[in-house]
Amino acid sequence: MRIETIGNATLYLGDCREILPTLPKVDAVITDPPYGVNLGSDPTHVIGNEAYASFDDTEEAIRRDVVPAIKMCIEKSRRCVVTPGTRCAWFYPRPDEIGAIYFPAGAGFSRWGFTCSQPILYYGKDPYMPKNKKPNSYRCTETTEKNGHPCPKPVGLMEWLVDRCTRGQEWILDPFMGSGTTGVACVNVGADRQFIGIEREPKYFDIACRRIEDAQRQGRLIA
């Protein structure tokens, strides 16, 4: 197992199912796991995305690998926020609330045409209720940067999730870190949020390290 500490971020290279039991409880989990759509091989669902480097993106893999990890995350955090895609969303534990990400220009091609929305599964209590009521859904018009990961989320979307679901100085965990967009969002949103990321593919782990370090450097230059 490799561990990198970059400012307020601690990043683990390894399988989250093995690493999660060793970590202390966190304030929030915010994660965008694989969707089980045969990324890169199913033309009825996604356009132009290559396959994951070391993950078999099938429904069986979501049941076997991803859902048990999310169950651990729910137990290990005060609140857990998951963007599961649409095809395997029903495999996950019943959430306390469901929001949505709306993509007016579409976010890929599904078995029923263009996908224009994806669910957000919320577990635990809203950190801003009851005094400060906020929307539970987000309209995303931002394009995704090409950073070497086959399916990265837009930084602005993850910034909204971090800002919406956490408060300053809280610890935020992403067990399916990918290219590190949640960690970049934590840096950009600020308020001394602490980030823990786990990724098992070395290629994506190195991309995440670089992007989070770049975001922190940019933040220091602005400051």
Side-chain angles (χ1 to χ4, degrees), residues 101-173:
I101 308 163
Y102 173 56
F103 301 94
F109 191 61
S110 73
R111 293 166 176 168
W112 278 66
F114 287 106
T115 300
C116 292
S117 67
Q118 293 179 359
I120 306 171
L121 307 183
Y122 294 102
Y123 300 91
K125 294 183 179 180
D126 185 338
Y128 292 97
M129 288 285 283
K131 293 183 179 180
N132 189 1
K133 298 178 179 65
K134 296 187 174 187
N136 69 359
S137 300
Y138 180 75
R139 183 177 186 270
C140 183
T141 59
E142 179 185 2
T143 57
T144 303
E145 67 174 278
K146 295 181 179 180
N147 59 29
H149 188 277
C151 196
K153 274 289 184 287
V155 174
L157 166 60
M158 301 313 293
E159 288 174 351
W160 180 82
L161 279 173
V162 168
D163 184 60
R164 175 63 184 83
C165 304
T166 68
R167 291 181 174 271
Q169 299 182 325
E170 288 193 332
W171 286 87
I172 299 157
L173 167 67

Side-chain angles (χ1 to χ4, degrees), residues 169-199:
Q169 299 182 325
E170 288 193 332
W171 286 87
I172 299 157
L173 167 67
D174 186 349
F176 297 95
M177 178 173 64
S179 59
T181 305
T182 305
V184 171
C186 289
V187 175
N188 294 348
V189 172
D192 293 327
R193 285 171 171 82
Q194 313 290 313
F195 177 69
I196 300 172
I198 307 173
E199 173 56 45

Side-chain angles (χ1 to χ4, degrees), residues 6-211:
I6 306 171
N8 290 348
T10 303
L11 312 182
Y12 294 82
L13 175 62
D15 191 318
C16 66
R17 293 170 298 172
E18 299 173 358
I19 296 171
L20 283 169
T22 71
L23 300 179
K25 192 165 185 175
V26 297
D27 295 294
V29 171
I30 299 176
T31 190
D32 178 57
Y35 294 169
V37 296
N38 297 304
L39 189 69
S41 61
D42 183 352
T44 69
H45 191 85
V46 197
I47 298 175
N49 289 95
E50 63 182 87
Y52 289 108
S54 59
F55 183 79
D56 184 20
D57 187 39
T58 63
E59 294 185 11
E60 174 55 33
I62 301 302
R63 290 182 184 272
R64 183 188 65 238
D65 301 336
V66 177
V67 172
I70 295 301
K71 289 180 179 178
M72 282 192 278
C73 288
I74 294 170
E75 295 295 324
K76 189 169 283 290
S77 62
R78 297 168 61 189
R79 67 198 81 100
C80 181
V81 182
V82 184
T83 53
T86 56
R87 189 172 296 181
C88 297
W90 311 117
F91 297 170
Y92 290 85
R94 180 177 177 176
D96 294 299
E97 186 58 85
I98 298 177
I101 308 163
Y102 173 56
F103 301 94
F109 191 61
S110 73
R111 293 166 176 168
W112 278 66
F114 287 106
T115 300
C116 292
S117 67
Q118 293 179 359
I120 306 171
L121 307 183
Y122 294 102
Y123 300 91
K125 294 183 179 180
D126 185 338
Y128 292 97
M129 288 285 283
K131 293 183 179 180
N132 189 1
K133 298 178 179 65
K134 296 187 174 187
N136 69 359
S137 300
Y138 180 75
R139 183 177 186 270
C140 183
T141 59
E142 179 185 2
T143 57
T144 303
E145 67 174 278
K146 295 181 179 180
N147 59 29
H149 188 277
C151 196
K153 274 289 184 287
V155 174
L157 166 60
M158 301 313 293
E159 288 174 351
W160 180 82
L161 279 173
V162 168
D163 184 60
R164 175 63 184 83
C165 304
T166 68
R167 291 181 174 271
Q169 299 182 325
E170 288 193 332
W171 286 87
I172 299 157
L173 167 67
D174 186 349
F176 297 95
M177 178 173 64
S179 59
T181 305
T182 305
V184 171
C186 289
V187 175
N188 294 348
V189 172
D192 293 327
R193 285 171 171 82
Q194 313 290 313
F195 177 69
I196 300 172
I198 307 173
E199 173 56 45
R200 74 182 193 181
E201 167 53 46
K203 181 171 80 170
Y204 305 150
F205 182 84
D206 289 338
I207 294 170
C209 289
R210 185 188 70 246
R211 294 181 71 221

